[in-house]
Amino acid sequence: MDDDDIVVEDDEALKTFLPGGFGKQDKGANVALQFERSKRQHQEKPTLHDGSNIEQASKGRRASRPGDRDHDDADKDDDEESEDEEESEEEDEYPTSHELVLKTHERPITSMTLDPSGSRLITASTDCTVKFHDFASMTPTTLRAFKSVDPTATKTSASSETHPIHHVEFNPVSPSSILVISAIPQAKILSRDGEPLAESVKGDMYLRDMHNTKGHISEITTGTWHPTNRDLCVTAGTDSTLRIWDCSIRMRQKDVIVHKSRVAGSAGRTRMTAISWGSSPQGNSSCLVAAALDGSLVMWNGEGPYNRPTAEIRDAHQRDTWTGGLDISSDGRTVVSRGGDDTIKLWDTRKFKSPISS
């Protein structure tokens, strides 16, 4: 080889810096490359100059001390147990190999929903905003939401009130509409692009009978859609009521369910904390289950009548703890609840008395 010959080493960093070609480039997304970039990197344990592990070297130094030699045999089992515990803590709870971090909110996220096709993600937060993420338009340099909406803002001035978002949910039957629950007495329906479609009515707080009010009189905590009817949704509030809305007529109130608390000194009212609307075991109707702050779990026939619940558990969870999670299985036979008392319980809708697992 002559001295004038130039040798260029195969440098990966140089390849990534230089362009792959000139002229018109293909703007199509490299899915394989993006998938490889999202692979999780495993951190290796630090080593010394001779290649030995720092933890092993420190253990060897501790064992070589004269005062510790008498206790080596006694502490051997304890060290092995502690090592097993540390390894179990380091291992992930789920066997995830790839991850993608979307840092779009400034405060904790309260709810998220994914459309049935899996192409759009919507998140809600205590920063009073709803963020819209489109996976198809994301690139490694644009991992952010393409739109941010404040559903409670009515004015552009700085004095307008904003409220945290409790819950967002795609319509499972018609993904073109989204139910948004904010910390106000009114629920909203938005389009999949964030445009307002409908809004519920605020009730009269001076009426004592909740059946006569046209809407919630205080803050709404959660809500959900009907499992099969695209025009029906239900909301739960701190006024001890569940309200079913007909969204085909600009959120007209269809039915009112008043939950009467049996706790002494509560005047028959409590806060509703979670709700789920799913299929029933019979298959020809639906099942409506709600949780309250007084620890009760109540079930109704999802199609009515709602004058009296079909089943009720007074002490399903500890009183004055927030039951924030509630879901019904696809066959309608089991209900799972996550309480503020650090317990997750599984219930049988056919024998709705005591949990089958906790």
Side-chain angles (χ1 to χ4, degrees):
M1 182 176 63
D2 298 336
D3 296 338
D4 296 336
D5 294 340
I6 300 175
V7 178
V8 179
E9 296 181 356
D10 189 9
D11 193 353
E12 294 293 337
L14 185 61
K15 286 183 178 181
T16 57
F17 176 76
L18 294 175
F22 298 94
K24 186 176 181 180
Q25 302 292 326
D26 186 11
K27 295 183 180 181
N30 190 342
V31 179
L33 180 59
Q34 295 182 10
F35 186 76
E36 184 65 23
R37 287 179 177 176
S38 63
K39 189 175 182 180
R40 301 185 65 180
Q41 301 294 333
H42 296 282
Q43 297 181 357
E44 298 181 356
K45 295 181 179 180
T47 57
L48 299 175
H49 294 289
D50 57 355
S52 61
N53 191 281
I54 292 180
E55 294 182 359
Q56 295 178 356
S58 61
K59 290 179 182 178
R61 287 195 297 269
R62 288 197 301 267
S64 62
R65 296 175 184 173
D68 295 341
R69 291 175 181 174
D70 298 337
H71 303 282
D72 288 345
D73 295 337
D75 296 341
K76 187 176 181 180
D77 296 337
D78 296 338
D79 293 340
E80 293 179 354
E81 292 179 359
S82 61
E83 290 177 3
D84 295 339
E85 292 178 358
E86 291 177 358
E87 291 179 358
S88 62
E89 291 178 357
E90 292 177 357
E91 293 179 355
D92 294 331
E93 185 177 359
Y94 301 102
T96 54
S97 60
H98 294 69
E99 65 179 9
L100 193 64
V101 181
L102 304 176
K103 297 181 180 179
T104 55
H105 287 282
E106 299 177 356
R107 294 183 180 179
I109 296 176
T110 57
S111 177
M112 63 176 59
T113 180
L114 188 68
D115 70 338
S117 64
S119 61
R120 182 158 296 185
L121 173 69
I122 298 178
T123 58
S125 171
T126 55
D127 60 4
C128 310
T129 60
V130 176
K131 304 278 188 176
F132 293 77
H133 309 79
D134 195 353
F135 294 125
S137 61
M138 283 187 181
T139 63
T141 58
T142 59
L143 295 178
R144 57 178 178 267
F146 72 89
K147 190 172 186 179
S148 178
V149 176
D150 185 353
T152 59
T154 56
K155 299 180 181 179
T156 57
S157 62
S159 61
S160 61
E161 294 184 358
T162 57
H163 302 272
I165 314 299
H166 291 325
H167 185 74
V168 290
E169 184 177 339
F170 267 107
N171 191 328
V173 184
S174 176
S176 59
S177 55
I178 306 160
L179 176 64
V180 179
I181 304 297
S182 306
I184 57 175
Q186 295 166 279
K188 286 191 175 184
I189 304 294
L190 302 181
S191 68
R192 62 180 289 108
D193 295 325
E195 300 299 329
L197 299 178
E199 183 179 10
S200 64
V201 181
K202 182 179 179 180
D204 189 353
M205 65 178 65
Y206 297 104
L207 296 178
R208 294 182 58 88
D209 190 357
M210 291 293 99
H211 291 92
N212 297 329
T213 58
K214 297 181 179 180
H216 290 280
I217 64 172
S218 58
E219 177 184 343
I220 302 177
T221 55
T222 185
T224 188
W225 292 96
H226 191 282
T228 56
N229 192 336
R230 57 180 294 179
D231 296 328
L232 294 182
C233 68
V234 59
T235 57
T238 56
D239 55 0
S240 194
T241 65
L242 308 178
R243 299 178 186 268
I244 299 175
W245 305 89
D246 187 353
C247 302
S248 63
I249 316 177
R250 300 188 62 83
M251 292 198 74
R252 179 182 62 85
Q253 183 172 273
K254 185 174 181 290
D255 288 291
V256 181
I257 306 174
V258 179
H259 172 60
K260 296 182 179 180
S261 177
R262 302 180 185 273
V263 178
S266 63
R269 292 189 180 183
T270 185
R271 296 185 177 186
M272 310 305 295
T273 61
I275 191 170
S276 182
W277 205 345
S279 303
S280 66
Q282 289 77 15
N284 54 358
S285 62
S286 60
C287 178
L288 185 62
V289 182
L293 190 64
D294 60 359
S296 61
L297 202 62
V298 192
M299 180 172 62
W300 292 271
N301 185 344
E303 309 304 325
Y306 308 105
N307 298 329
R308 182 177 301 177
T310 57
E312 181 179 359
I313 306 172
R314 296 186 182 181
D315 299 323
H317 289 278
Q318 186 177 346
R319 185 184 303 174
D320 296 330
T321 60
W322 195 273
T323 303
L326 196 63
D327 199 7
I328 304 174
S329 62
S330 58
D331 57 3
R333 296 182 179 181
T334 54
V335 175
V336 60
S337 60
R338 176 179 57 86
D341 52 1
D342 298 331
T343 61
I344 297 178
K345 298 183 179 181
L346 195 65
W347 313 85
D348 191 345
T349 57
R350 296 163 296 183
K351 298 179 181 179
F352 207 62
K353 295 181 179 180
S354 59
I356 58 179
S357 180
S358 178

